[in-house]
Amino acid sequence: MSEHGGNVLEMALKIGTDAANIIDFSANINPLGMPDSLKVAIVEHLARAEHYPDVEYRQLHSALAHAHHCGPENIMAGNGATELIYAVVHYLQPRTALLLTPGFAEYRRALQRVGCQIHDYEMSEAEGYQPTERLLKVLEQLRPDCLFLATPNNPTGLMPDTDLLQAIVQCCHQHQIALIVDEAFIDFLPQAPGLVPQLADFPQLYVLRSLTKFFAIPGLRLGYLLSGDLTGIRQMKQQREPWTINAFAALAGEIILDDRPYIEATHQWLAQQQQWLYQQLCNIPALQVWQGTANYIFLRCLRPEIDLQSALLQHHLLIRHCANYPGLTRDHYRVAIKSAADNQHLVTALQQVFSHG
């Protein structure tokens, strides 16, 4: 069983159908699809496949730096944000780390790879699956070498309180705790500035960004790491294997952040569908639903006798079960927000599952 969403082929084989027949709500990908600007650019630059990419990816780093008003020396692009999670952990070599649960699985795997001792900070349902002031006390007492924090969190889609987030940044700075903030989904929040503007003030702050989800290019894979730790960025670039980013992923990073019409269309789609789907799910008594900020919704099935993933698979819909997230159960699920038609399909199927269950 895959640890991530998007394992459509595996599930299609399980129920004896073609993967094309399944609507995938398990992977949080923008339903608007790859930007037309990128499709045109790839066709126009097909010959890039005939040459090695620039091993330094100068044009890519320059474009990302321009988008974030920083220098190329502050940025390391990678094969999705996941490569960079492993790169920053390999560079930091932490002996102790604090992870918020539930959270993205790759933080733990990267830390285990370097033999790091991991402490869990459990975000409970009673606390709304959010960090509280209690996290500051734990950081003060534990003084770990690093803390991973996702804004918004995966799988809950929740953003921490703004003042608390700033207090966490200050606390980590004060105690020289490396703070790795995963902003993989923050592009879906048009009003959220993120922490990139503060990099110059906090040299042990590392911000992960992803272009995979927002721009619907999971097959290309592209993410990047930003930090004011110029020595660290330089070392990570020197330690990596050459050419981890393919020519078309690099091309994507050079152009898509300038595609304002696509970015605005995405924000308009999400503003409509996020609220609609949230309300529809809240209207189903058998579900407890959390109001997230990103392009997915976290929920719990209140009918434990129903395996919701299996039940919906019979309707050719795949949702993400969250049983393998520490702190969650087989009754917790995550669903992507998709097109209006797909979202309606999901709601109708859920109503049928619970009326017959």
Side-chain angles (χ1 to χ4, degrees), residues 26 56 76-77 87 101 111 124 141 160 177 182 192 216 244 252 260 266 278 329 346:
S26 73
E56 302 290 341
M76 175 179 169
T101 61
L111 291 164
S124 67
Q141 292 164 355
I177 299 166
D182 187 345
T244 60
R260 297 309 310 174
T266 297
Y278 172 73
T329 71
L346 173 66

Side-chain angles (χ1 to χ4, degrees), residues 127-252:
E127 293 176 323
Y129 289 113
Q130 285 276 53
T132 66
E133 300 282 332
R134 180 169 62 89
L135 176 58
L136 299 174
K137 293 174 185 166
V138 172
L139 285 169
E140 291 270 359
Q141 292 164 355
L142 195 62
R143 306 278 178 93
D145 292 328
C146 75
L147 166 69
F148 272 90
L149 189 65
T151 58
N153 184 46
N154 178 6
T156 64
L158 302 171
M159 280 290 278
D161 174 77
T162 305
D163 291 340
L164 178 61
L165 178 58
Q166 206 53 51
I168 293 166
V169 173
Q170 291 285 357
C171 181
C172 288
H173 178 62
Q174 183 183 341
H175 297 298
Q176 296 186 304
I177 299 166
L179 174 59
I180 303 110
V181 179
D182 187 345
E183 295 183 348
F185 291 96
I186 208 163
D187 287 331
F188 288 103
L189 286 64
Q191 307 308 320
L195 292 177
V196 173
Q198 300 184 48
L199 292 179
D201 300 325
F202 300 103
Q204 283 189 289
L205 172 62
Y206 305 87
V207 177
L208 292 156
R209 302 290 292 251
S210 169
L211 298 177
T212 296
K213 284 86 176 171
F214 189 91
F215 293 97
I217 51 169
L220 286 182
R221 312 283 309 131
L222 185 63
Y224 51 102
L225 175 72
L226 305 105
S227 181
D229 177 5
L230 301 186
T231 303
I233 293 287
R234 192 164 54 246
Q235 276 191 32
M236 283 182 260
K237 284 178 176 176
Q238 289 167 353
Q239 288 171 353
R240 76 185 313 171
E241 298 86 354
W243 305 303
T244 60
I245 306 164
N246 74 67
F248 299 124
L251 176 64

Side-chain angles (χ1 to χ4, degrees), residues 25 46 50 76 95 116 136 162 195 237 310 325 351:
F25 282 87
L46 275 178
E50 298 169 357
M76 175 179 169
R95 290 155 302 161
C116 179
L136 299 174
T162 305
L195 292 177
K237 284 178 176 176
S310 294
Y325 282 91
Q351 289 167 340

